[in-house]
Amino acid sequence: MRHSRRQALGLGLGAFAAAALPMAAQAALEDAIAAFTGGAATGAGDISIDAPEIAENGNAVPVSVSAPGAVAIMILGAGNPEPVIARVAFGPAAGAQTFATRVRLARTQDVVALAKLADGSVIEARAAVKVTIGGCGG
Amino acid sequence: MAADAKPRVKVPKSAAAGEVVVIKTLITHKMESGQRKDEAGALIPRSIINRFTCDFNGVNVVDVEILPSVSSNPYFEFEAKVDTAGEFRFTWYDDDGSVYEDVKAIAIA
């Protein structure tokens, strides 16, 4: 593969943008968490994430969150371009506060789960997932 | 997209009164994230299912707000408490305004 001067410049710019991305993503993550907690600090508690340590394909990573007593949970990918993955509200007919789905992860990152309890406090859990192939496509 | 979005739901046929049952749902949908680019470098617009709800006899079980980081053909697994016989109603809301529905009955054994 040969690179023209223009392509080489583009590659350089791309690398620069990739380096700048984590800071922007971090701010987006904190905003999303603050919107869910209402600014309150998150504590540890009875919440668990079940996610693979190594995901070969970031396009579909099985993630399961269990938080007994939660009224709502939020699942986030700390390193995704849009950190929020899903917000789940449990209704009166829910049998247990568990929720499992498949998510996209752009790169190796922490999956964060927040659970809002009936008294309004928010608890947090994190699980690191190594991603071999990112899930954001072209 | 509306034409080939096909919901699939797995609910036990019967349960004991008060039993907690596991419900699995899947709907075929490409869940275009709005992050990808086509060959010409233009952004492919977002087209996802943005909300999913499940109700049992009109009482909410889960209400999920979905963002583009959920995989294509979104799969959800959750639990519901069954006190009486009745039916589960599942609803998916597409970005394009389409609504997909499925209904499953459950009996008390």
Side-chain angles (χ1 to χ4, degrees):
Chain A
M1 188 178 163
R2 68 197 165 83
H3 288 293
S4 68
R5 180 173 176 273
R6 185 164 297 183
Q7 278 172 332
L9 275 172
L11 278 174
L13 273 176
F16 180 73
L21 192 67
M23 280 173 70
Q26 190 65 30
L29 177 72
E30 278 164 15
D31 286 353
I33 291 176
F36 186 75
T37 62
T42 59
D46 193 5
I47 177 171
S48 62
I49 305 182
D50 192 3
E53 266 176 48
I54 297 175
E56 290 200 351
N57 182 356
N59 267 313
V61 183
V63 172
S64 169
V65 177
S66 178
V71 293
I73 59 173
M74 180 162 75
I75 308 171
L76 303 110
N80 271 6
E82 283 185 64
V84 181
I85 295 169
R87 294 188 192 91
V88 185
F90 294 104
Q97 280 67 38
T98 63
F99 190 78
T101 185
R102 294 181 190 138
V103 308
R104 290 177 173 141
L105 297 177
R107 55 192 172 82
T108 297
Q109 59 182 275
D110 278 358
V111 174
V112 183
L114 300 177
K116 194 177 278 176
L117 303 179
D119 64 3
S121 63
V122 176
I123 53 176
E124 180 185 329
R126 279 170 188 260
V129 179
K130 281 197 171 114
V131 177
T132 316
I133 303 170
C136 270
Chain B
M1 193 60 217
D4 52 344
K6 184 181 169 217
R8 277 171 233 176
V9 177
K10 203 167 183 183
V11 175
K13 285 194 174 64
S14 66
E19 192 182 338
V20 171
V21 298
V22 174
I23 297 174
K24 298 175 179 181
T25 74
L26 186 139
I27 187 165
T28 50
H29 196 287
K30 63 181 181 222
M31 295 290 281
E32 188 59 62
S33 69
Q35 301 278 349
R36 298 196 311 149
K37 288 176 178 156
D38 63 16
E39 281 167 8
L43 219 54
I44 305 171
R46 176 182 127 156
S47 169
I48 67 166
I49 289 177
N50 57 44
R51 187 171 170 228
F52 165 74
T53 63
C54 171
D55 295 285
F56 181 60
N57 290 340
V59 181
N60 183 248
V61 181
V62 287
D63 187 338
V64 189
E65 185 190 344
I66 304 162
L67 287 110
S69 297
V70 171
S71 300
S72 55
N73 303 333
Y75 166 82
F76 307 120
E77 185 182 324
F78 50 91
E79 295 175 27
K81 194 161 183 281
V82 179
D83 289 321
T84 60
E87 62 179 27
F88 285 99
R89 180 170 292 273
F90 306 91
T91 318
W92 293 261
Y93 298 86
D94 197 311
D95 266 354
D96 68 11
S98 312
V99 174
Y100 318 112
E101 278 191 317
D102 202 356
V103 174
K104 288 273 188 240
I106 187 165
I108 293 295

